[in-house]
Amino acid sequence: MSDIPKADELFKSIDYNPPATGWMETPVDFSPGHWCYPGKVEKVQYMMDKIPGVFGNPREWSPDQADWKLPPNWKEIVMNGFRERLHKYRSLQVFMDICVRCGACADKCHFFIGSGDPKNMPVLRAELMRSIYRGEFTLAGKILSKLTGSRVMTEDVLKEWFIYFYQCTECRRCSLFCPYGIDTAEITMMARELMHLVGLNINWIMEPVSNCNMTGNHLGIQPHAFKDIVDFMVDDIEEVTGRKVKAPLNEKGHEIIFITPSGDVFADPGIYTFMGYLMLFDYLDLDYTMSTYASEGGNFGLFTNSEAMKKLNAKMYAETNRLGCKWILGGECGHMWRVINQYMDTMNGNLQGSQMTTPKSPITGTVFENSAATKMVHITEFTADLIKHDKLRLDPSRNDHLTVTFHDSCNPARAMGLLEEPRYVLKAVCNNYVEMPRGTTREETFCCAGGSGLNTEEIMEIRLRGGLPRGNALRYVQDKNNVNVMACICAIDRATLVPLADYWAPGVTIAGVHELVGNALVFEEGEERTMDLRQEPLPGFEDEDDNWTPPNMEDA
Amino acid sequence: MNALYSLLFVFLLVLIPLFGVGAAHMKTFFGVCVPTTAMIIFVVGFVWKMLKWARCAVPFRIPTTGGQQQAYDTTMFKQNKWDNPSTGAQTFVRMLLEVFAFRSLFRNTKVSLHQVDGKPVVAYRSNKWLWLFAIVFHYSFFIVALRHLRLFLEPIPFFLHGLEFVDGILQIGAPVMYLTDVGIVAGLLFLAARRLYDSKIRYISLVTDFFPVFLILSVALSGIYMRYFAKVDVIAIKELTMGLVTFHYHIPEGIGTAFYVHVFLVSTLMVYFPFSKLMHMGGVFLSPTRNLPNDTRIRHHENPWNPDIKPHAYADYEKEFGPAMAEAGLPLDNPENAKSAE
Ligand code: SF4
Ligand code: SF4
């Protein structure tokens, strides 16, 4: 990270004036730092064996070399795939045809705002594909090529796709502002599907996908190791609260199965959120289990193709049935909820076992009619309901050392509209809550710039540039309101927002909503806590000697 | 460059009927054959395009949500029904707002970078110019087109009289100036100027973006020229247009060349329409991010091509990790798996 410019230098380097050369003539920068590492051969091969026909061409290759080792008939494969998808997705066909290039979406993309690269304007990102559509599939495009903005598919075009469709986090902010709802995230998804056919992929997606399939979670943590980590966290909770909480795994015969992104289980600061869940469930004496087999809520398949997405998602129902649970409670995760809300029942609804029922809170009796089809409730819905019914004893003053703001994760915000529930929970568990400026929150929220499988080190500068809009809004409330924590409901956010905040708003830490719930939760009358879940002293206990390292941090 | 090409094209288009009628006296061709053919191409093309879209599958419901979802407790969290609809009726309202009020465009913002006290600041402000001029242009165009119905209908329905009255309410000049004539020209000039002036928009603009602007402008200007300056014989024109719709083709005397130029430009527009981005007019109704309710968590939907894909089986998982699972005390479905596979 040493060669990354300082924040204000980077800021000054942004120029919204496009280059003098037309975009078709402007060469693409393939130097390192502009692309993510390609998928490892064995990972691609593994997925190719598991799902025939949608992954291809496993090989060693590198984007900075001239020869990308494409199969000889790559063009045929890509064009056939394109034609097929035009029939399978009305979205793609309509979005290819009706953009008027009004530019309303142009300055809505965080990658454009932070880089000024015109190919990061959603309209132009989509034109990279649309120009091929016109050139290869429409008559006018074939005749008048250049004048209608058409071109034929070449290797250079495919290489350009690789750079720019892996520089879109599928956040859908552009779609909100388009007068026709053209969703560049959808176009990116299609482009990625096509690239996977000829083996243009990135390892930060392929490895998690194959791991999720094999071990159940994206890091490839095996079941016994998974249990060890959970046990460590149970110990940590005991350290803070003096209470040994239950953490049931793979147990049959419970009412609820809880599935959260595995990022919450292994990575700082997600683990504190996970501890919050465990404490809440123990407090409620909830009849639930977790699973090592379905130990990943985040769906990395979404970043490859709809087949892999379906395959990974299907584990949720498969495991619910095997364990005999009635419904699913889902943790804080962005892409997981995009898949659950918009795809899950359509793809895998037929796998639901007959024992599954519309979710009903065993504590309050509330029936979650809004998840009657998927049978899956978001944890902030569940907790908000508990708070509303006064089922939790909370001491928000335990979070008084924190001034909290909330980052709406793109996917729950723009594919669900889960906006108020987390805010309701946050306001109940902490006294100091502040909103970031308008235009950067709720449906207009800005991406963490590391979504859709791009949260990898080798493109850190691109991520920090894309993180400018979020980081700057955070800096604003940091300066104005002394905000020192940004809460979110996404495991990817909890990983990606940390370097982003360090860069654009140093001093702000990142937390999950249920970490703050865990802090505030009062187990017993008169219970006293001296530290929060991070084992930082609570106000009034600062003098406590604290040089203890959490045992599970060693391999995190 | 793209703008110049487009302008040149439109000039060429004007020249064709000028010579065709003025010099070659091909009045029947330009007065009857061209508009009739154009109309047929327009209708067939439009329908064909809509069918082409309608035939594509909609496997997943992917509405972009612009507000609070329908919560499990609607009293606690008020649903934003028009931006995040969960029923057909709500979605219908969303579409009405989209089609008639350009609601998404109304949201438009503009980003700018500043240094305040040496610190970087990214600012967003509401930017409704595009929305305003787009509305002015589209509504003007729509009303102008409606007003033309008087040429094709006998008797003229009452609402057209009302429309014309309101449109000319300012009572400026003779013949009375229509507001929509001003509106359509002003809207088009803004849209063209924006494409030329804003470097980002200029960068993405193609010939196919400038051409329709200039073409529609030429249609409007030729119409305005006929009405206010050449003061053409409307009675004669109506004779011709009524002939077109009743299939009694007849070319009356005394219709100036300006009329043929206008008709030719309109015909070009009709032919061009279904094969260009102008089809956004039809496409906006079919956009899956807008015309579907956000209800996939509530109701089941079918994907017509849902592939048969099963998850990695738990049995295989247990076979692979069984010994370690047993050692960690995790329950096994099949106790056999506790033994390592050698
Ligand atoms: S806002 Fe929509 S129509 Fe306008 S340029 Fe962007 S994608 Fe195209
Ligand atoms: S989906 Fe997000 S990242 Fe992709 S083009 Fe749109 S705004 Fe940019």
Side-chain angles (χ1 to χ4, degrees), chain A residues 99-105 123 178-180 182:
Chain A
C99 173
V100 296
R101 282 169 299 281
C102 69
C105 57
V123 45
C178 172
Y180 317 114
I182 292 173

Coordinates of all heavy atoms in Angstrom, one line a residue, chain A residues 99-105 123 178-180 182, ligand 1:
Chain A
C99 N -31.3 2.8 -23.7 CA -30.6 3.9 -23.1 C -30.6 5.1 -24.1 O -30.3 4.9 -25.3 CB -29.2 3.5 -22.8 SG -28.1 4.8 -22.2
V100 N -30.9 6.3 -23.6 CA -30.8 7.5 -24.4 C -29.5 8.3 -24.2 O -29.4 9.4 -24.8 CB -32.0 8.4 -24.2 CG1 -33.3 7.7 -24.6 CG2 -32.1 8.9 -22.8
R101 N -28.6 7.7 -23.4 CA -27.4 8.4 -23.1 C -27.6 9.9 -22.6 O -27.0 10.8 -23.0 CB -26.4 8.4 -24.3 CG -25.7 7.1 -24.4 CD -25.0 6.9 -25.7 NE -25.9 7.0 -26.9 CZ -26.7 6.0 -27.3 NH1 -26.7 4.8 -26.7 NH2 -27.5 6.2 -28.3
C102 N -28.6 10.0 -21.7 CA -28.9 11.3 -21.1 C -27.8 11.6 -20.1 O -27.7 12.8 -19.7 CB -30.3 11.2 -20.5 SG -30.3 10.2 -19.0
G103 N -27.1 10.7 -19.6 CA -26.1 11.0 -18.6 C -26.5 11.2 -17.2 O -25.7 11.6 -16.4
A104 N -27.8 11.0 -16.9 CA -28.3 11.2 -15.6 C -27.5 10.2 -14.6 O -27.3 10.6 -13.4 CB -29.8 10.9 -15.5
C105 N -27.1 9.1 -15.1 CA -26.4 8.1 -14.2 C -24.9 8.5 -14.1 O -24.2 7.9 -13.3 CB -26.5 6.7 -14.8 SG -25.9 6.6 -16.5
V123 N -23.2 4.8 -17.7 CA -23.7 4.8 -19.1 C -22.6 4.3 -20.0 O -22.8 3.5 -20.9 CB -24.2 6.2 -19.6 CG1 -23.2 7.3 -19.1 CG2 -24.4 6.2 -21.1
C178 N -31.7 6.4 -13.1 CA -31.9 6.3 -14.5 C -33.4 6.5 -14.8 O -34.2 5.8 -14.2 CB -31.4 5.0 -15.1 SG -32.0 4.7 -16.8
P179 N -33.8 7.3 -15.7 CA -35.2 7.5 -16.0 C -35.9 6.2 -16.5 O -37.2 6.1 -16.4 CB -35.3 8.6 -17.1 CG -33.9 8.8 -17.6 CD -33.0 8.3 -16.5
Y180 N -35.2 5.3 -17.0 CA -35.8 4.0 -17.4 C -35.4 2.8 -16.5 O -35.6 1.7 -16.8 CB -35.4 3.7 -18.8 CG -35.5 4.9 -19.7 CD1 -34.4 5.4 -20.3 CD2 -36.8 5.6 -19.8 CE1 -34.5 6.6 -20.9 CE2 -36.8 6.7 -20.5 CZ -35.7 7.3 -21.0 OH -35.8 8.5 -21.7
I182 N -32.5 1.6 -16.0 CA -31.5 0.8 -16.5 C -30.5 0.5 -15.4 O -30.0 1.4 -14.8 CB -30.8 1.5 -17.7 CG1 -31.7 1.5 -18.9 CG2 -29.5 0.7 -18.1 CD1 -31.2 2.3 -20.1
Ligands
SF4_1 S1 -29.5 7.5 -16.9 FE1 -30.3 5.6 -18.0 S2 -30.9 6.4 -20.0 FE2 -29.6 8.0 -19.1 S3 -27.5 7.5 -19.8 FE3 -27.8 6.5 -17.9 S4 -28.4 4.4 -18.4 FE4 -28.8 5.7 -20.2

